Amino acid sequence: MTGRLRNNRKTEEIRSKVRETTLEVADFIYPLFIEEANNIKQEIVSMPGIFRYSLDRINEELDQVVALGIQSVILFGIPIKKDAEGTESWNDEGIIQKGIKHIKTHYPTLQVIADVCFCEYTDHGHCGVLCDHDVDNDLTLVNLRKQVLAQAKAGVDMVAPSGMMDFAVREIRDELDKNGFENIPVMGYSVKYCSSYYGPFRDAADSAPSFGDRRTYQMDPANRNEALKEAQADVDEGAEILMVKPALSYLDIIRDLKNNFDLPIAAYNVSGEYAMIKAAGNNGWIDDKKVMMETLLSIKRAGADIIITYHAKEAAKQLKMEND
Ligand code: PBG
Ligand code: ZN
């Protein structure tokens, strides 16, 4: 016979003792969009509360991030110049390299993670070098080495390849180790699905593909067994952290990785997931603060140790209020 389960729900004192999952501000990574321009603070229409900043104004954002106790940011760059291979991504004076240097100089305690991909830098918006209207895996690996080395030289704390190229982690690990950057960890976007939830991000980062889609490199949303293979590949190639992206339609995958691998698991609560909560909240249809906290909790409960989220600042505020 089971006991009276409601007895553990009677008061906040007992509820807080039997609570199985809790969120902490240390769980969060906050994405930042950095535009190569001057005097820019531009709100992204489909992501209320999220802005593109130029470097001369980004301290307005970073001051808040640090004051709220957020420890980590992940950077996305919007360059002026785009070309077929995305060469700006490995320019030592490119926007991300400048951004890394700026943040590490002015906010040395902030952990700076760089997204490693080409879609923001190519004029066609695909995540690598094109060959016959598809991304060529191994040509892209050559450029990935260049990009990651430029980020490492700029002082990045962690790199996160997001292009879903086979052997990307292996190549990046090797390039870092060969150049004396063996202490920079790699967070693989190990299991990244070809998702329509990235829509608002592509507006924010000007990175929508000019033709076709990303189905030949990002994973089919129908596949679960394949996720384990992708994750195993990143483990074998030397990744320190595995990521699942998006988060909410893929909570089963987060749990699968948690149950099958010993590495920390990250989940990317993506732009479309953020946009839906904000849109419903701004219409008065849901209490968006509460839905936000419930959503983040669900990602953690599914098995994520780390959550990349546009809600990080607001969630940090909520957590502060709860603890006061
Ligand atoms: C770049 C990249 C994307 C996201 C993160 N890195 C977009 C894409 O694959 O098209 C999406 C993030 C989001 O939607 O919040 N490869
Ligand atoms: Zn990309």
Side-chain angles (χ1 to χ4, degrees), residues 223-244:
N223 292 356
R224 187 170 178 182
N225 292 331
E226 193 184 349
L228 296 176
K229 291 202 188 106
E230 281 285 359
Q232 186 65 56
D234 276 12
V235 172
D236 295 343
E237 292 173 34
E240 278 90 351
I241 298 173
L242 306 175
M243 194 202 299
V244 174

Side-chain angles (χ1 to χ4, degrees), residues 45-48 197 200 269-282 310-311:
V45 176
S46 50
M47 300 174 76
Y197 285 96
N269 176 213
V270 301
S271 58
E273 298 171 339
Y274 176 86
M276 292 194 298
I277 290 180
K278 283 292 163 188
N282 289 345
Y310 303 97
H311 294 294

